[in-house]
Amino acid sequence: MNEEFLQARELFVRYSGSLVQMHREGALKTYQEYNITKDTEQQWLQELAGDYLQRLSIRDWEAVAGLETLSKQYQDPIIVDKTASFAYRNIMSADSIVRLMYAEGLVGIIRAHKLLISREQLFSACRTAVQILEAVIIQPLVLDPGHELQQLGLRDKRTLNSRAKKSIEEVEKLLN
């Protein structure tokens, strides 16, 4: 691969394929000069989604946040299925902050894919998100070392619960 192609790919990946973000950051003109085809961009988006899906972990929420951002540019029902499946199997053993972040990320992913996924997929993913959010509300506050409420702009368990309730309301809107 030539140097220009690699530079174009690096820009594209940095902004998760968002031309709007590239424009805001002043990088769009540079990116457009590379004349990358739509097929190549689609391939990059698929690779980026696959990378994020492989990196899903309860140790942090970077991958789910990346999938949420990517879902604004690229929709694939597999993203919803695999993220919801991972969350269903693994997130209940995480601390309160990771649960909240995964659930919020999953809600954002569902929102971006709502028109593309089946009703069954929608209900299943929403059920998983609500179960996680309800656990955040019902269970005591648990924070792993290095995770602080202030990272999310939260003061205490009450503000954490409030944010979880807002996400549950968002799920209700998605289902209506």
Side-chain angles (χ1 to χ4, degrees):
M1 285 186 226
N2 68 29
E3 187 67 27
E4 285 187 354
F5 187 79
L6 292 174
Q7 289 172 347
R9 188 178 194 290
E10 191 275 324
L11 265 177
F12 189 83
V13 169
R14 182 184 321 151
Y15 295 103
S16 295
S18 173
L19 300 179
V20 172
Q21 278 301 111
M22 284 186 216
H23 176 70
R24 284 186 189 145
E25 300 286 326
L28 181 59
K29 187 174 181 177
T30 302
Y31 176 75
Q32 288 174 332
E33 289 172 0
Y34 294 119
N35 294 319
I36 301 300
T37 66
K38 292 294 178 194
D39 288 341
T40 301
E41 288 180 344
Q42 281 300 110
Q43 179 184 349
W44 289 346
L45 289 168
Q46 289 171 346
E47 291 170 3
L48 193 54
D51 180 53
Y52 282 134
L53 288 168
Q54 286 182 342
R55 290 180 26 213
L56 287 173
S57 167
I58 66 168
R59 300 210 186 277
D60 65 49
W61 54 83
E62 301 264 335
V64 76
L67 284 167
E68 182 182 9
T69 300
L70 180 65
S71 292
K72 295 172 185 168
Q73 313 310 315
Y74 174 72
Q75 290 84 38
D76 184 343
I78 291 171
I79 294 172
V80 177
D81 286 340
K82 288 191 174 188
T83 305
S85 176
F86 176 86
Y88 181 78
R89 289 188 326 269
N90 299 290
I91 293 304
M92 291 310 213
S93 63
D95 76 358
S96 300
I97 289 179
V98 172
R99 282 191 233 163
L100 178 65
M101 295 307 294
Y102 258 89
E104 287 179 341
L106 181 55
V107 171
I109 290 167
I110 295 166
R111 184 183 321 107
H113 288 83
K114 183 179 178 185
L115 299 176
L116 186 67
I117 59 176
S118 69
R119 292 291 281 169
E120 183 179 313
Q121 288 173 305
L122 175 67
F123 288 137
S124 177
C126 285
R127 184 176 332 125
T128 297
V130 168
Q131 287 172 345
I132 295 167
L133 291 163
E134 286 176 343
V136 167
I137 294 168
I138 294 168
Q139 295 176 358
L141 178 65
V142 176
L143 297 175
D144 287 343
H147 291 171
E148 303 293 330
L149 289 173
Q150 292 75 24
Q151 288 175 295
L152 303 177
L154 302 173
R155 293 183 310 277
D156 54 19
K157 172 76 168 140
R158 196 174 80 223
T159 56
L160 181 86
N161 289 351
S162 176
R163 193 154 146 182
K165 287 176 186 175
K166 285 180 184 175
S167 289
I168 290 173
E169 291 170 6
E170 179 67 27
V171 169
E172 290 171 355
K173 289 177 189 174
L174 289 169
L175 292 172
N176 292 329

